[in-house]
């Protein structure tokens, strides 16, 4: 089983440190910055061998160069964004696989937040690293793509097993939930979830990872009945 550690950085980012105990390989997902990631790995006696990037934004790639300089790690990221992530060693796209020791991740294309955004699904460990595409009760802003693309992304992700742990990159859950209650005021599962989220945040606890099953029940973007409805909800959330 993978060991997956949450590292909070910047104002609301989460970097994921992933250790495969058999091979002793350690990977970082979307390092916004280097110092706290290197410190956490050192504290645990782990050597970072890989970085996996989901998209080019600086709060997901800003630590690449420094971590690579310190460890000599190998960096994998989206083929479609290679010009915007100069530190990449391996370029991947939909259907490709990436390995951490003997553990295999499948690459899923999920463009919309950025044009070449990807996600990594590790079926053996029921884990998905989704960057800024899917959040707890939310989805990423449509900076470089369309609502139709995001609607398609939601179909790809909701098709994963319900038990899949979803490792998104920001602590946006409370604000997402406040909008979700407006979008779906009669959703009892959503009401129950927000009660739990508010209690967790009051205790200073993180609310991610989430699960695919939870998102199917409570995420107004995954639950949108069409690309048009998703578009309307995204505009409403942007102005919420």
């Amino acid at each position: 089983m993978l060991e997956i550690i949450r590292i909070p950085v910047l104002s609301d980012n989460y970097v994921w440190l992933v250790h495969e105990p058999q091979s002793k390989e350690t990977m970082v997902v979307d390092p916004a910055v280097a110092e706290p990631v290197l410190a956490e790995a050192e504290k645990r006696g782990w050597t970072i061998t890989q970085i996996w990037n989901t998209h080019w934004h600086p709060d997901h790639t800003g630590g690449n160069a420094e971590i690579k300089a310190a460890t000599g790690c190998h960096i994998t990221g989206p083929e479609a964004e290679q010009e915007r992530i100069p530190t990449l060693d391996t370029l991947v796209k939909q259907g490709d696989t990436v390995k951490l020791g003997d553990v295999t991740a499948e690459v899923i294309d999920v463009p919309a937040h950025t044009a070449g955004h990807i996600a990594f699904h590790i079926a053996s460990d029921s884990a998905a690293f989704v960057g800024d595409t899917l959040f707890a009760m939310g989805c990423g802003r449509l900076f470089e793509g369309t609502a139709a693309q995001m609607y398609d992304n939601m179909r790809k992700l909701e098709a994963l097993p319900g038990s899949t742990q979803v490792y998104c990159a920001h602590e946006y859950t409370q604000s997402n939930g406040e909008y979700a209650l407006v979008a779906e005021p009669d959703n009892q599962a959503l009401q129950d979830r927000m009660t739990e989220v508010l209690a967790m945040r009051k205790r200073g606890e993180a609310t991610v990872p989430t699960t695919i099953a939870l998102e199917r029940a409570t995420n107004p973007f995954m639950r949108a009945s069409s690309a048009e409805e998703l578009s309307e909800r995204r505009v409403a959330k942007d102005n919420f």
Side-chain angles (χ1 to χ4, degrees), residues 94-123:
Q94 176 81 33
D96 288 342
T97 57
V98 191
K99 296 194 73 122
L100 182 69
D102 287 332
V103 173
T104 300
E106 181 183 358
V107 176
I108 305 170
D109 282 345
V110 285
H113 182 68
T114 66
H117 201 304
I118 59 174
F120 298 94
H121 176 224
I122 305 176

Side-chain angles (χ1 to χ4, degrees), residues 112-211:
H113 182 68
T114 66
H117 201 304
I118 59 174
F120 298 94
H121 176 224
I122 305 176
S124 62
D125 282 73
S126 298
F129 297 94
V130 296
D132 286 357
T133 292
L134 179 66
F135 295 116
M137 295 184 282
C139 75
R141 288 176 180 259
L142 306 178
F143 287 131
E144 297 179 5
T146 66
Q149 287 178 313
M150 188 61 83
Y151 182 78
D152 186 50
N153 295 341
M154 295 298 105
R155 303 291 71 76
K156 290 179 181 179
L157 295 173
E158 77 173 356
L160 300 178
S163 59
T164 304
Q165 298 279 308
V166 178
Y167 295 89
C168 44
H170 291 273
E171 182 57 66
Y172 289 164
T173 308
Q174 183 173 335
S175 62
N176 284 343
E178 288 167 354
Y179 166 71
L181 286 170
V182 173
E184 296 192 0
D186 299 324
N187 184 332
Q188 186 61 51
L190 177 53
Q191 294 170 28
D192 294 344
R193 189 174 186 199
M194 267 304 281
T195 299
E196 182 181 9
V197 165
L198 290 171
M200 292 174 75
R201 295 307 291 157
K202 191 172 183 180
R203 296 192 298 265
E205 296 173 6
T207 63
V208 294
T210 178
T211 68

